[in-house]
Every structure is written in C-alpha cells, then in structure tokens.
Amino acid sequence: MTDPQTIISADHLIAGYLPGVDILNGCSMDVKDGELIGVIGPNGAGKSTFLKALFGLVPVREGKVQLRGEDITNLKADKLVQRGIGFVPQTENVFPTLSIEENLEMGAYQAPKTYKSQRAKMYDLFPVLGKRRNQQAGSLSGGERQMVAMARALMMDPSVLLLDEPSAGLSPDRQDETFVRTRDINRTGVTVIMVEQNARRCLQICDRGYVLDQGTSAYTATGQELLADPKVIELYLGTLGADKDDEDDADASAAPEATPEKSE
Amino acid sequence: MRNANHAGQKARHFPLRIALLSTLTVAAITVISAVPAQASQLATEVADTSGGTETNLLLQNLLNGITFGLLLALASVGLSLIYATTGLSNFAHGEQVTFGAAAAFAAVTAGAPLLLAAVIAVAAGGASGWLQDTVLWSQLRKRRIAPMQQMIVSIGLALAAVNLLQIWMGAQRVRLSTSIEVRYEFGPVSIGPQTMISMAVCIVALGAVGFFLQRTRLGRATRAVSDNPALASATGISVNRVIRIVWIMSGSLAALGGVLLALYENTSDFSAGARILLLMFAAVTLGGLGHPFGALVGSLVVGVVAEVSTVFLPTPDLKYAIVMGMLILTLLVRPQGLLGRKERVG
Ligand SMILES: Nc1ncnc2c1ncn2[C@@H]1O[C@H](COP(=O)(O)OP(=O)(O)O)[C@@H](O)[C@H]1O
Ligand SMILES: [Mg+2]
C-alpha cells in the first residue's frame, strides 16, 4: 500500500446509494503511476459505482481512497478535479446545448488561464472537434460525444482519468478508435482506469485488469494473464458479453436488471 | 416535473399535462376576470379619444402587446433561470415582482427620485434572492428535497409573502409616479414616454441577460448547470455558487420588472405580481421550459396574442383565455415549447 509508485488506491470500499444497501462490499484497487487499468465484470457488478465512489459521487461508508498517499475519501468532485482526477461518466457526459468549444471551456473552468493552450492540445488530439467547434454537442453522434467528453475531462490535464465504458454504444470501428486513443492518452503519462463491457478488447490494451463481481474486486492480473485465464474466458470472454452493452444502464439502474450471470 | 417528457414517458404524461393546463387556464380566467384589465382599457380609451391622425387599433394593440410582452419577459426570465438550474417551479416569483414595486414605492415615499427608487428596488430584489437561497433553497437542495416538494414550499412562501406585502403596502393601490401620462403619436400608434423608457430598459436588461448567458464564462457555466448539474459539478463547476448568482439575478430582474409594471399600469398593489404569475408560467412554458431564451420568446408571444386578440374579442377579459388556449395547442404540437429541446431518445 505504501508503494511510492502507487498513485491512487482504494482500500476495502463499502459504498452504496441508499442507506443500508451496500453496492460495493470491500472493493480494493492499487494503481501505479502511468498504468492503464481495465475493470471488467458482469452488468450490475458495481463497476460504475466503483468509479463514482473514487470520484466522490457515491458516499463511501467504510474504507479509504488515497491519491499519492493523501486521503481523498468522499472529497467533493470539484476538489478532486483540482487535485488532478478527471471523470467521464458512462452516459450524459456532455453539455448538450453548449457548443463543443463551450464544453471544453467548462472542462477548464477551474483553470481559465490554461484554457486556450489546453484547447489547442485537444484540437490536435481530436481534430474533428476543432473543425466543428461551434456545433452544439447535443447534435453530435455517439462517437463524437465520447470525444467531447474525453477532451472535456482532459482539459485540466489530470494525472488520473476515470473512464466509464467509453466504447458503449459505438460501432466496432469507433470502439477500436476509442481504445487506441485511450492508450495514446495513457502513453502521454496519464494514469487511466477504464471500465469496459468489451472485456476482450479492453484486456488486450490494458496493463492490468481487475475483475469486479458483486461489489468486490474478485481478482487482478495483467491483461494477458486474464485473457488466458479459463475462468475469465468462461465468464466474460466466451460469449464476448453478447454485446449486452447496447443499453445505457447507468441511470436507469434502479431497475432490477442486476447480475444476469453469477460467478461460480 | 423536470423530466416529465422523457421520450418513453411522453405518452403517459400527456393527459396529466393537459389536466394541469386546463386547471391553470380556469384558474387564470377566474383570477384575471376578477381584476379588470386596466392597462389595456386605459390604452384603448386613450386611443379612442385621441383625435388628429387616426389610430389603427390593430397596430396599437400590437405595440401594447410588445410592451407588455417585454415587461413579462423581464419579470419571468428569473423564473425560467431558476427552473433551468434547479428544477424548481417557484410560485413565490410573483411576490418577487411585487416586492420590487413595494420597495420602489417605499423609497419614493421616503423622498427618493424615481430613478434612485428603481435602483434601490433592484438592489433589494437581488438581496432577497441571495437571502432566500442562503437560508432556504440551498438548505433544501443540500438535503436533496425533490423539486416537487420544493415547489410546495414555494407556494407556502408565496402565501406568506403576499400577506407580508399587504401589511407593508396596505390594501390600497399605490402609484410610483403621479406625473400625468401624455402620449406621443407616431402615425397610427401612440405611446407614452414612461412606456417608451420602460421598453428601452427592458430591452437593455434582457440584452444584458443574453450577453451574460452567451458571452461570459459564468453565464456559460450557468447554461452548463441547466444542461446537467451532476456533470457540471463533476467538471469542477461550483454548482451552488452558480445557483446563488442565479437567485440574485432572478430577484433583481423580477424587482425591475415589478417597478416597470407599476409604471406601465400606472398603479400597483400587494397582489400585482400574483396576478401575472400564471402568465409568467405560461410564457416560460410556451417558450420552452429551461431554455435560456424561452422566457423572452414566450412572453412576447403571450403579450402580443393577448393584446391583439382584444381587437377581435367581444370582451377584453377573455384575452388570457386565448393565451392559455394557445399554450395548450402549442404544447400539443410541440411538447417541449417553442425553443425547448427534445429530450434525447434512449
Ligand atoms: N443511482 C442509483 N441509485 C440506486 N441504485 C443504483 C444506482 N445506480 C446503480 N445502482 C445499483 O447499483 C448496482 C451496481 O450498478 P452499477 O455500478 O451501475 O453496475 P455496472 O456499472 O457494473 O453495470 C446495481 O444493482 C444498480 O441497480
Ligand atoms: Mg456501468
């Protein structure tokens, strides 16, 4: 835990939305500076909840989140943004009536001085956004929105980026593009924690994967090891998740759609 | 209420919406027909008696409608901004409008010139917005009280406020200015100097709001909060600070609206704001709930339709019934209002 290379760590998090209902039951994770982490697991396992707990959007009841050894448990999102964490939610992750450029400006809201230079960087990284800078984000395609959302989260030059299913709902081509781009961003030194339904593709590009099931981090290994793990193959890769990621489940998740496949 | 028109639920909410609107319509007709619409009568009388060049009734009413629409827009833009950023339908907004007139009246009575009185009223209105958000609304938000419950609180607040205003102003009508209203004639229409100044002030103030929302960073953050408050805070915008500023703006704009309305109608009383509350809701809904310019467009349409319809109606008392009917028809065709954005599908 005191590994000096650890940038962000979660220690036995217990968290949930409603009093008395724990969605995370002792979820732990240790991420080294510069790592690209993939988090996989069945629908309703608590992957989104885990990212939200890291980002202070779901109250953590027990356990600890640390950033470079400092306790950041339950800090408010705007404080975490200041400390260099960026978050891209799974759905509704752009401001639809704002233009692309205004979306990026909001990303740099706490650091207006760096806005112009960061914006230029983002237009380099996502040229299509530069070309359409005055277009309303609400009128963009799913893939373009995902770019806006990612660019917005990168405007503060975060050291840790949390991505919730960036490839959900995209065509296979766009999915590939998203994974490649995520790795590119990671190679510029940004630590990335990515939740994915597309387990195979995710494990192929990430340094290390975590398997989350029923609110606990069941196990972790390198992406390659997990890809070869018979249990993982059986549970998450065999059917390739049957592309059940088409539905946007983040907010409608009060519905009892949880855990279609149980482990063991 | 805020998400009432989610695509999947649209059909289910439609009867509810119509029921609500019909109730509003009936209520509006009752309230409004109880109070003679002095403003339009005044204008019509003057128009009728002015000899010389012939006054064109249609154009005159169009002008009256635009004037009233601008006043309504100024009064209701705060209502719309608060709804957009917090989801609250603030039924106490009418009293914010009255409060402006009352504060100006108090200042005039104490000997202040009208202009200074207006400035004092605007400042007091802003202060009341700040105070309310600090001691009440921000506390309710912090405790995650749903917008529906907050709306009930606002109705209670409106009842309390209208009584306090009655104690403060008395039950009688008050006048901010006793100068005799002269009217200038411009071809087929005539207009008084007070009205012209009111229109100019409205246009400048509404332009300033537009400038704020489009051209300033804080204004763009305000639009971001109204798009998606959760995302706004995840992005690092201090949402509560933005909402506080919206309350201050809303209070001062409503106060200014109240002062100008009192000048336009040449009278005011403790229920002046309550009388236009339903019209403000109608205007904001018509324009597109939550849309930054919905209040402006909706108010202009409401004002113009109401005034122009009097040319064709047997009695001017029916004009607001026409407005409400038009609102219902518009919503049947465009549930999101004139400028409103369709809820994203899926
Ligand atoms: N806003 C919420 N309020 C209450 N329960 C929620 C909420 N969001 C998710 N849940 C519940 O938390 C559990 C985990 O959901 P989630 O973290 O979204 O899973 P995943 O992202 O792994 O599919 C689900 O049982 C879901 O019903
Ligand atoms: Mg999820």
Side-chain angles (χ1 to χ4, degrees), chain A residues 97 102 105-106 109-110, chain B residues 217 220 223 227-228 235-236:
Chain A
T97 72
E102 288 169 339
E105 185 191 20
M106 292 303 111
Y109 195 73
Q110 292 192 9
Chain B
R217 214 167 67 90
R220 290 189 283 262
R223 282 162 52 219
D227 266 5
N228 187 340
T235 296

Side-chain angles (χ1 to χ4, degrees), chain B residues 27-37 275 278-279 317 319-320 324:
Chain B
I29 295 168
T30 321
V31 170
I32 287 156
S33 53
V35 185
R275 280 201 301 277
L278 292 174
L279 282 182
D317 293 347
K319 62 182 176 180
Y320 295 125
M324 294 298 165

